Amino acid sequence: GEPAKLLVVDVRSGKLLHRFSLVGARGAWNACTASDASVYVGTDDKGHVYRWIPGKDAVQDLGAIGKDQTFVWDVSPGPDGEIFAGTYPGCEVFAYYPGEGFTNVGHGSVAPGENYVRGLAYDPATKKVFAGVGSHAHLIELDPRTGQKRDILPAEYHDREFVYSVDVVAGKVIAHVSPGARS
């Protein structure tokens, strides 16, 4: 419902601990827990990011992530309490540094001509961010310190529309490429 909500549930008991309204947000597709235990939610319609610090009785609206970015599709925890976020319609990747704010770590679109960063994951071993892009599939490896990027999606998937649900597990990048069925 509107506004979007952040619900905090005790997973052991199932008890609802908090129900926070994300005032000004129509919806949200994602949330993550940062290394400092803060919970971040990226929202649609106005492209804001909200932060909840456990023990606090309210969420904080950190504001719009970037100029003309209306959707925050995915958020991923990084080191030292920071997060990374992927946007629409600019196909951009931002970092949020607590106490400092948002920075466009891809220095513009991570895949020029595309609109969506739908999936995002940070690899602490390589210190790289992996961004799943659409509506023409790309899987971008981004160095958030330099802005250097390269498409690592295997050529046989370049005819697909989206790369969703990116994760890094045991040193491997795992991504859902859509549509899934081949004709």
Side-chain angles (χ1 to χ4, degrees):
E2 288 186 38
K5 313 286 187 294
L6 172 63
L7 305 177
V8 180
V9 177
D10 181 320
V11 294
R12 291 185 185 106
S13 70
K15 180 181 176 189
L16 178 65
L17 302 175
H18 299 284
R19 179 187 175 105
F20 298 114
S21 291
L22 306 179
V23 177
R26 293 176 55 177
W29 283 86
N30 59 79
C32 75
T33 303
S35 62
D36 66 0
S38 296
V39 176
Y40 290 88
V41 180
T43 65
D44 56 56
D45 191 33
K46 295 182 180 129
H48 282 224
V49 174
Y50 294 77
R51 180 184 189 196
W52 175 64
I53 299 170
K56 300 284 185 179
D57 292 328
V59 294
Q60 177 185 10
D61 181 353
L62 300 175
I65 195 165
K67 183 177 177 4
D68 300 322
Q69 300 309 295
T70 59
F71 239 89
V72 179
W73 277 107
D74 202 6
V75 289
S76 179
D80 304 319
E82 70 191 52
I83 63 156
F84 296 97
T87 69
Y88 167 89
C91 194
E92 297 177 355
V93 174
F94 288 82
Y96 175 77
Y97 304 103
E100 295 179 33
F102 297 107
T103 299
N104 186 323
V105 294
H107 307 289
S109 176
V110 296
E114 300 301 336
N115 296 111
Y116 300 85
V117 172
R118 285 298 309 263
L120 202 63
Y122 174 76
D123 180 5
T126 64
K127 297 181 175 28
K128 301 282 175 74
V129 174
F130 296 90
V133 171
S135 59
H136 301 94
H138 299 277
L139 180 57
I140 304 300
E141 177 191 71
L142 169 66
D143 184 331
R145 296 165 300 203
T146 66
Q148 188 173 33
K149 45 197 165 272
R150 68 183 178 114
D151 192 343
I152 62 169
L153 187 68
E156 64 262 28
Y157 299 105
H158 285 173
D159 64 338
R160 303 303 179 86
E161 292 179 17
F162 280 93
V163 175
Y164 292 100
S165 306
V166 180
D167 205 350
V168 177
V169 178
K172 307 282 187 220
V173 178
I174 300 169
H176 169 211
V177 181
S178 174
R182 289 192 182 255
S183 38

